[in-house]
Amino acid sequence: MMRDASSDSVRNDAATGMDSDTPSAARRDDRRHVLHSWSAHGALAPVVVAGADGAYFRDEDGRRWLDFSSQLVNVNVGHQHPKLIAAIKAQAEALCTIAPYHANAATSEAARLIAEVAPGDLDRVFFTNGGAEAVENAIRMARLHTGRHKVLTAYRSYHGATAGAIAATGEPRRWPSEPGPPGFVKFWGPYPYRSAFHAGSAAEESERALAHLADTVMVEGPHSIAAILLEPVVGANGILVPPDGYLQGVRALCDAHGIVMIADEVMTGFGRCGEWFAVDRWKVVPDLITFAKGVNSGYVPLGGVVMNGAISDGFAERAYPGGLTYSGHPLACAAAVACIGICRDEGLVERARRLGDEVIAPALQAMQARHPSVGEVRGLGAFWAIELVRDRATREPLVPFNASGSDDAPMVEFAAACKRQGLWPFVVSNRMHIAPPLTIDEPALRDGLSIVDEALHVADRYCAG
Ligand SMILES: Cc1ncc(COP(=O)(O)O)c(C=O)c1O
């Protein structure tokens, strides 16, 4: 299980020692011809996936994996949902593709449904192929709307791998792409467990993080700031749930200075947090929301920006200076229509909240009580993190920041222990993230949590005392 030392991406290779002696054509061609995301191709041994169903996928050797990561936190309705497959097939029969200057039924309906579930007056959608392009376009819109250029983003954030989105990103995956485009300024967001503000409570963390953000705005010059772009619940960098009041404070700061508030809900949107959008939990209405992943559970690539009237009005007479050959792609949009329908019909948003409150939270709290390596558990809906430490008193992380090689061994061993029991984990830095499909049945969820509980003994061995 090796990975590019410069990346902090999910450990996504097999490391089970189960590779068969004679490689299949899929494995052989992959090894010879594919360069995978965030990986050194000479070091990767990917699982060759042959099929999937619900909360499980299976490899070409017939091994079944319980997907506790929804792949990259996108397969919200589970694998191979029959209604989603049927919708894609029907759309393929009717109209596979069409240029974005035409209208078509799938794109129109997807936009209407997204506007219906989006908060406040956000009711017009620009479609992209994924999350990074959504972020690029949201930044462009904010700059055009305000006539300003700076964008404030948080340390410990991920916004995508294209030029602007990676410059906006506040973690090590940005480093190899530096120097980036100008105009991106970083601030610290709230993280009560490792407060940058020496806060003693969630309320203090919120207050001090807001004061720090207000100071950053002041010294950067509010007249030059187009947008504050943030993940309402930080995803890949730790499932950091903001203390109550923080997002409301960011909204107020943006209002006070005419700054566009962009909520990057690429990972958190469409039910993951037990709300349609994470901002709903705090009743905050941003000016722009970026989305992707859960909008159609990743069955066909899709992302976008949903915007309020003040911003979309700016493009009523003047042309929006951005576009994509596949903006509003009918197959992807038909999948979004079906996916939003499934979420509604199966009550998946409420289900995520209930699974979080009634199954995941109590199980993780019990693990914290049992295992000295568990420093903190946190999350909401079907979106949780277990943060592992060497020492609970000092909170020293189980592995150092951006660890690689032997420094990373404890986490590699922990991930391997999960995999040996057939659980596909989302392990990043010194954390395991728990983000199963929202459709996972309760026995499977409980089984998976038991596997994690057992695997934590591996992490405990590295603890002080
Ligand atoms: C919050 C957030 N924004 C943007 C992105 C980038 O999305 P994509 O990989 O679809 O470009 C991600 C991907 O994980 C994300 O989590």
Side-chain angles (χ1 to χ4, degrees), residues 88-97:
I88 295 168
K89 281 184 177 168
Q91 185 62 44
E93 294 287 349
L95 180 73
C96 277
T97 190

Side-chain angles (χ1 to χ4, degrees), residues 280-302:
D280 297 341
R281 183 166 169 120
W282 295 276
K283 305 207 172 356
V284 167
V285 182
D287 301 297
L288 300 172
I289 292 179
T290 54
F291 63 85
K293 296 189 188 263
V295 64
N296 67 3
S297 291
Y299 282 42
V300 184
L302 183 67

Side-chain angles (χ1 to χ4, degrees), residues 3 12 20 24 34 39 44 102 111-112 181 193 214 221 236 241 248 307 316 322 351 367 374 384 392 414 455:
R3 59 192 180 129
N12 63 352
S20 45
S24 64
V34 179
S39 300
L44 200 68
H102 294 296
R112 176 176 61 77
Y193 187 64
V241 183
Q248 292 93 322
M307 69 201 83
R351 188 163 198 276
M367 288 181 214
V374 177
W384 289 79
R392 271 192 186 163
F414 168 66

Side-chain angles (χ1 to χ4, degrees), residues 133-148:
E133 286 176 350
V135 168
E136 298 288 349
N137 281 283
I139 291 171
R140 176 184 282 138
M141 287 170 193
R143 286 178 169 159
L144 290 164
H145 180 71
T146 58
R148 307 170 182 176

